[in-house]
């Protein structure tokens, strides 16, 4: 234990000192040594993202909570960014009220599975009133209900080699979380917004809700969740759709 504390102190003071004295490149080298480089580092944020990710992972407990609000603080209007896919198979599922939709959970898990919406709704539910901020400068406070992602991951049993959880939606806006955020108690697979089933544009039938990061990490229109060990082998290797669009993979707030 004391060894861990000492190592943490070393990394923290190393990062802070390096940023001030010898520049950001040195800090990035230290972060790399301790496995603190986020996968999307090829994005335009580069070293800045690495510093944010590394310092949040070191300085904050993995399970520090996003602020929760009271019902009277919810926003009157909930904007949409990324409206529902106009194409099949999404439109077909929408037409049949997601009767035949199932969430596939696969990858490095002991028991690959798929779950209907009714099955997900029978799992232990969690409700939060939290703030969602878009990188474009607007935000809202809303109530979300769903099953904690940790519950589903524990049901399927993730491998000891697992490092990331990848979200695959019906559009191309895929993203991923590392395990501290995937198992965070406020990370939900949400099916309800402000007391109603998710509308199509807000991500029906199921979306990720990641309270500790910017809105673009809360992937809508989920179809599949895949547990992986090495995110560099997935897609273009950057961990999400967003670095190519100019947003960092890690968007902690
Ligand atoms: N599948 C998918 N998920 C997505 C998006 C998208 O275009 N497609 N947009 C993201 C962005 S940029 C934001 S800010 C939030 C917006 O959520 P809302 O439309 O429910 O407000 O969803 C995120 N999740
Ligand atoms: Mo966003």
């Amino acid at each position: 234990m004391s060894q861990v504390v000492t190592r943490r102190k070393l990394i923290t003071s190393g990062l802070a000192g390096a940023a001030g004295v010898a520049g950001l490149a040195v800090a990035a080298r230290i972060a790399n040594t301790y496995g603190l480089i986020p996968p999307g580092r090829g994005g335009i944020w580069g070293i800045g993202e690495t510093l944010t990710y590394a310092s949040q992972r070191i300085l904050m407990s993995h399970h520090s909570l996003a602020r929760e609000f009271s019902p009277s603080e919810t926003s009157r209007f909930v904007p949409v960014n990324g409206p529902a896919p106009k194409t099949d198979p999404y439109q077909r599922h929408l037409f049949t009220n997601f009767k035949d939709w199932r969430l596939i959970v696969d990858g490095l898990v002991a028991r690959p599975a798929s779950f209907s919406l009714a099955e997900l709704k029978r799992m232990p539910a969690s409700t939060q009133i939290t703030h969602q901020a878009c990188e474009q400068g607007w935000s809202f406070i809303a109530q979300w209900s769903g099953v904690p992602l940790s519950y589903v991951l524990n049901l399927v049993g993730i491998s000891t080699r697992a490092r990331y959880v990848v979200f695959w939606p019906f559009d191309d806006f895929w993203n991923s979380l590392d395990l501290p955020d995937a198992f965070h108690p406020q990370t939900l697979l949400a099916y309800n917004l402000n007391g109603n089933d998710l509308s199509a544009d807000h991500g029906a039938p199921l979306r990720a809700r990641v309270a500790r990061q910017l809105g673009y990490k809360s992937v809508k229109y989920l179809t599949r969740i895949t547990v992986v060990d090495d995110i560099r082998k997935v897609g273009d290797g950057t961990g999400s759709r967003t670095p190519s669009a100019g947003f960092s993979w890690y968007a902690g707030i």
Side-chain angles (χ1 to χ4, degrees), residues 23 26 52 113 174 225 237 247:
V26 178
T52 312
W174 69 283
I225 291 177
F247 321 144

Side-chain angles (χ1 to χ4, degrees), residues 64-87:
S64 64
L65 297 176
R67 182 176 165 198
E68 301 209 6
F69 296 83
S70 67
S72 65
E73 291 170 290
T74 55
S75 305
R76 279 203 195 99
F77 178 62
V78 183
V80 168
N81 203 10
K86 296 279 177 284
T87 47

Side-chain angles (χ1 to χ4, degrees), residues 79-82 132 134 140 169 171 173 202 207 215-216 218 220-221:
V80 168
N81 203 10
Q132 180 172 291
C134 177
F140 59 87
D171 60 7
F173 207 80
H202 284 302
R207 73 180 295 172
Y216 63 76
S218 290
K220 306 195 276 190
Y221 327 115

Side-chain angles (χ1 to χ4, degrees), residues 78-86 90-91 93-94 97-98 101-103 117 120-121 132 138 140 143-146 167-171 173 188-194 196-209 215-225:
V78 183
V80 168
N81 203 10
K86 296 279 177 284
Y90 187 79
Q91 281 296 319
H93 282 302
L94 191 58
N97 218 7
F98 300 99
W101 171 92
R102 294 183 79 82
L103 176 73
L117 192 53
L120 290 161
K121 284 181 173 179
Q132 180 172 291
W138 48 270
F140 59 87
Q143 177 186 285
W144 304 92
S145 300
F167 297 106
W168 298 110
F170 281 98
D171 60 7
F173 207 80
L188 304 184
L189 295 175
Y191 42 72
N192 186 295
L193 169 60
N194 287 335
N196 301 306
D197 282 348
L198 281 182
S199 67
D201 286 344
H202 284 302
L206 189 76
R207 73 180 295 172
R209 176 66 196 122
Y216 63 76
K217 298 295 286 189
S218 290
V219 176
K220 306 195 276 190
Y221 327 115
L222 290 177
T223 177
R224 183 187 214 110
I225 291 177

Side-chain angles (χ1 to χ4, degrees), residues 51-73:
L51 270 183
T52 312
Y53 179 70
S55 47
Q56 290 212 6
R57 282 287 172 269
I58 293 164
L59 298 174
M60 298 164 81
S61 136
H62 287 164
H63 284 181
S64 64
L65 297 176
R67 182 176 165 198
E68 301 209 6
F69 296 83
S70 67
S72 65
E73 291 170 290

Side-chain angles (χ1 to χ4, degrees), residues 138-162:
W138 48 270
S139 67
F140 59 87
I141 293 169
Q143 177 186 285
W144 304 92
S145 300
V147 53
L149 176 58
S150 62
Y151 183 87
V152 173
L153 293 176
N154 287 333
L155 266 187
V156 295
I158 68 168
S159 154
T160 51
R161 285 189 293 131

